[in-house]
């Protein structure tokens, strides 16, 4: 006679114990502060994983007990509930400690402290996430049992178990694929509506030096939202002169949207034609920017070099997608690299046709997914320096092969978050203004600069973080703004840093994925003091530019 089915709402004591312990561990600090609702999501996922582990352990223990004479049944359940109550009380204590942990992290990244937990948001997110995942797990278990029950009685038990799991896995894969396709279609439609055309609030530019103007070969409505914002923003010649006291030119900004041409090669060719139209190859510097997934180009980076060079610049980018970077990297992981390669190759081909003495400085710049695309385009520091006059790479993802190679090759004693490579002769890293001048040795041109923070989750979220302790959390490697209370835990630390990515730009510059305070010094390092001095850029003027750039990205409420 079969035993009655367990009520759907009843929890396994062993699973509950490990699950509650996982909630407590998930509340420990990570790289950045977490709002209560996101903490609830992290804790809910942690509980579900811990619960599954606890159920598995309980099953193994009970199977072993059945072979012996150890107590089981009600006494065992009583012990389980006693332990669960003790763990729950511990969870309450951890919740109190969590406020201190979060305030410690907030102080380190210069965010205002909190004096209480938003309990409603935390508990709501925790319960919703936990219940959803538990129901999903039980549905999968019921499906597997149903498949097993339908097996012929003559099927050996091991074979029936394997076949039932294979059938369940097949159903899950197909279902997940269908849901993923549906979700991506929905996301695609949503982001097309958001980014496919210029915002109604963005007025068409009339500047000759900008794409989308009446004189441009690029249609205004084809620029997309981010392209339109890019060509209509930034300092004018008059604004540059007002800040620097130096006579300035109108900066050139060229952008080609997805609607301008169907292929990347055609968009790149169109960008070169537009550069020709605007006279970009006659400027002091030509900057090829690898855009992010949605086509966004970081404004502080572009404005910085326009101020430093008195507007004698041309900046060019093309759009390869209109979805956020994380969506673009899933749907078409090679597309960012292909876009960067197509654009740079087209620009380089025309640039090489100029007499060497008449060529502008050919510079490259990319943030996050753009930094990844540029590193993959060149493949090595040697190729990057051979084909360009300098590179500014911001917040590189830690999964990029070139970035990993440079990290692994750094000089002994230098920390992971700010490495030194071959005494900084070719490549240097910076987190704060002044970092590029710390090394006293020579810095050969062309120069490569990485802007990198110890608390940037984009850089430090790597697959192995889920199962192996990272080097950057070791005592001698830990950045000054990384909480001393942060400890690596399997799976949980990976979940925490994944959620940290959502908050990467919600902290002040100097932390997270926000580089507003160091972009000017990054370009100063690449251009060199001699060139800037010839342009009349004194240290006082550069400091004024830095102050101006810092105002461009006010911190959103945290």
């Amino acid at each position: 006679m079969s035993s009655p089915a367990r009520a759907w709402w009843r929890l396994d004591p062993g699973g509950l114990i490990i699950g509650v312990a996982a909630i407590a561990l998930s509340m420990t600090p990570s790289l950045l502060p977490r709002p209560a609702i996101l903490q609830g999501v992290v804790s809910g996922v942690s509980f579900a994983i811990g619960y599954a582990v606890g159920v598995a352990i309980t099953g193994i223990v009970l199977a072993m007990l059945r072979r012996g004479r150890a107590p089981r049944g009600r006494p065992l359940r009583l012990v389980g509930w006693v332990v669960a109550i003790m763990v729950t009380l511990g969870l309450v204590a951890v919740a109190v400690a969590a406020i201190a942990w979060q305030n410690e992290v907030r102080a380190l990244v210069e965010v205002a402290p909190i004096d209480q937990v938003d309990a409603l948001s935390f508990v709501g997110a925790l319960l919703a996430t936990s219940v959803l995942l538990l129901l999903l797990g039980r549905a999968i278990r019921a499906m597997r049992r149903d498949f097993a029950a339908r097996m012929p009685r003559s099927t050996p038990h091991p074979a029936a178990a394997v076949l039932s799991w294979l059938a369940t896995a097949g159903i899950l894969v197909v279902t997940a694929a269908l849901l993923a396709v549906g979700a991506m279609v929905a996301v695609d439609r949503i982001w097309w509506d958001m980014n496919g055309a210029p915002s109604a609030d963005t007025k068409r530019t009339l500047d000759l030096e900008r794409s989308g103007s009446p004189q441009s070969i690029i249609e205004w409505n084809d620029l997309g939202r981010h392209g339109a914002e890019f060509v209509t923003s930034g300092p004018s010649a008059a604004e540059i002169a007002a800040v620097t006291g130096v006579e300035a030119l109108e900066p050139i900004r060229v952008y080609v949207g997805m609607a301008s041409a169907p292929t990347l090669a055609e968009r790149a060719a169109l960008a070169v034609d537009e550069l020709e139209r605007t006279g970009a190859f006659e400027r002091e510097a030509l900057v090829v920017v690898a855009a992010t997934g949605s086509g966004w180009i970081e404004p502080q980076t572009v404005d910085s070099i326009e101020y430093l060079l008195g507007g004698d610049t041309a900046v060019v980018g093309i759009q390869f997608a209109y979805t956020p970077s994380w969506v673009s990297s899933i749907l078409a992981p090679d597309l960012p690299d292909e876009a960067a390669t197509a654009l740079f190759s087209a620009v380089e081909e025309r640039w090489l046709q100029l007499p060497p003495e008449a060529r502008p400085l050919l510079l490259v710049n990319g943030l996050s997914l753009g930094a990844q695309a540029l590193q993959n385009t060149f493949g090595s520091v040697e190729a990057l320096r051979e084909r360009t006059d300098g590179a500014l790479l911001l917040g590189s993802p830690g999964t990029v092969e070139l970035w990993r190679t440079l990290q692994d090759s750094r000089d002994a004693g230098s920390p992971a978050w700010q490495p030194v490579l071959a005494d900084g002769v070719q490549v240097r890293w910076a987190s704060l203004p002044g970092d590029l001048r710390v090394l006293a040795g020579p810095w050969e041109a062309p120069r490569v600069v990485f802007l990198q923070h110890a608390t940037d989750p984009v850089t430090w979220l790597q697959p192995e973080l889920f199962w192996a302790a990272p080097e950057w959390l070791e005592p001698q490697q830990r950045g000054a703004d990384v909480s001393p209370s942060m400890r690596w835990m399997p799976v949980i630390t990976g979940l925490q840093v994944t959620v940290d990515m959502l908050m990467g730009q919600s902290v002040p510059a100097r932390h997270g994925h926000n580089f507003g305070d160091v972009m000017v010094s990054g370009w100063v390092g690449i251009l060199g003091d001699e060139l800037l001095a010839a342009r009349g850029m004194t240290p006082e003027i550069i400091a004024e530019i830095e102050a101006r750039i810092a105002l461009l990205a006010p911190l959103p409420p945290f």
Side-chain angles (χ1 to χ4, degrees), residues 38-322:
L38 292 182
Q39 179 60 64
V41 172
V42 173
S43 295
V45 175
S46 300
F47 173 78
I49 294 173
Y51 183 82
V53 172
V55 169
I57 293 175
T58 300
I60 294 172
V61 170
L62 289 177
M64 296 174 63
L65 291 176
R66 291 189 187 101
R67 296 180 181 180
R69 299 181 179 275
R72 56 183 182 271
R74 180 173 296 178
L76 189 63
R77 286 195 296 270
L78 181 60
V79 171
W81 282 110
V82 169
V83 175
I85 291 171
M86 294 175 62
V87 172
T88 302
L89 293 175
L91 176 60
V92 173
V94 169
V96 174
I99 296 178
W101 284 329
Q102 285 298 302
N103 281 336
E104 179 183 75
V105 175
R106 284 171 170 262
L108 289 169
V109 298
E110 302 173 70
V111 173
I114 56 175
D115 55 10
Q116 61 183 1
V117 174
D118 182 358
L120 184 61
S121 297
F122 169 71
V123 173
L126 169 62
L127 291 178
T129 305
S130 301
V131 171
L132 178 63
L133 293 177
L134 286 177
L135 290 177
L136 178 62
R138 291 190 172 183
I140 293 172
R141 183 176 63 180
M143 186 188 306
R144 201 279 306 171
R145 288 177 173 175
D146 184 62
F147 279 126
R150 295 174 183 272
M151 296 286 177
R153 294 184 178 274
S154 58
T155 306
H157 178 72
V162 171
L163 291 173
S164 63
W165 274 118
L166 288 175
T168 302
I171 294 294
L172 291 175
V173 168
V174 172
T175 303
L178 292 175
L179 290 174
V181 170
M184 290 305 174
V185 169
V187 167
D188 185 82
R189 184 66 229 179
I190 291 170
W191 285 96
W192 169 253
D193 291 341
M194 294 179 62
N195 293 334
S199 168
D201 298 330
T202 306
K203 303 302 180 183
R204 182 181 185 182
T205 179
L206 300 178
D207 294 338
L208 174 68
E209 297 83 5
R210 304 296 175 103
S211 294
S213 66
Q215 302 87 353
S216 174
I217 60 176
I218 311 296
E219 292 292 333
W220 168 255
N221 288 329
D222 293 343
L223 290 175
R225 180 167 71 94
H226 291 310
E229 291 172 351
F230 170 65
V231 301
T232 57
S233 61
S236 65
E239 291 170 327
I240 293 173
V243 171
T244 64
V246 176
E247 186 177 352
L249 298 175
E250 290 292 343
I252 294 172
R253 292 193 176 194
V254 169
Y255 191 93
V256 182
M258 289 184 64
S260 301
T263 67
L264 291 173
E266 290 173 302
R267 280 173 234 156
L270 200 56
V272 172
D273 291 341
E274 182 77 339
L275 289 171
E276 292 274 17
R277 180 193 69 79
T278 58
F281 291 101
E282 300 170 10
R283 292 298 176 99
E284 176 82 15
L286 172 55
V287 184
V288 178
V289 178
T292 62
S294 58
W296 183 65
I297 291 178
E298 211 289 324
Q300 291 172 291
T301 317
V302 178
D303 287 17
S304 295
I305 194 169
E306 290 174 342
Y307 275 110
L308 288 170
L309 293 182
D312 196 3
T313 58
V315 181
V316 58
I318 64 173
Q319 184 183 25
F320 62 86
Y322 42 81

Side-chain angles (χ1 to χ4, degrees), residues 378-508:
F378 295 99
S380 68
V381 169
E382 292 73 22
L384 183 56
R385 298 180 69 245
E386 180 181 345
R387 298 174 64 189
T388 75
D389 293 306
L392 182 62
L393 305 173
L394 294 72
S396 173
T399 54
V400 181
E401 183 176 351
L402 177 55
W403 181 89
R404 286 175 174 260
T405 299
L406 297 178
Q407 289 284 131
D408 293 341
S409 304
R410 70 183 188 274
D411 296 352
S414 62
W417 65 275
Q418 195 171 42
V420 175
L421 182 68
D423 295 323
V425 172
Q426 298 176 348
V427 185
R428 294 191 181 184
W429 280 257
S431 179
L432 297 172
D435 284 351
L436 295 175
R437 299 183 183 274
V438 170
L439 301 177
W443 190 5
E444 300 172 354
R447 296 172 172 180
V448 178
V449 171
F450 283 88
L451 301 185
Q452 178 168 296
H453 290 327
T455 51
D456 186 357
V458 173
T459 295
W460 307 115
L461 179 62
Q462 301 163 15
E464 55 267 32
L465 185 62
F466 285 86
W467 63 81
E471 183 183 24
W472 49 268
L473 277 180
E474 294 176 3
Q476 300 304 316
Q477 298 288 333
R478 189 182 296 249
D481 53 348
V482 176
S483 169
S485 301
M486 183 178 180
R487 297 290 183 269
W488 177 81
M489 294 166 283
V491 181
I492 288 176
T493 300
L495 292 174
Q496 290 176 326
V497 177
T498 299
V499 170
D500 285 343
M501 290 184 67
L502 300 176
M503 310 308 300
Q505 292 185 315
S506 295
V507 292

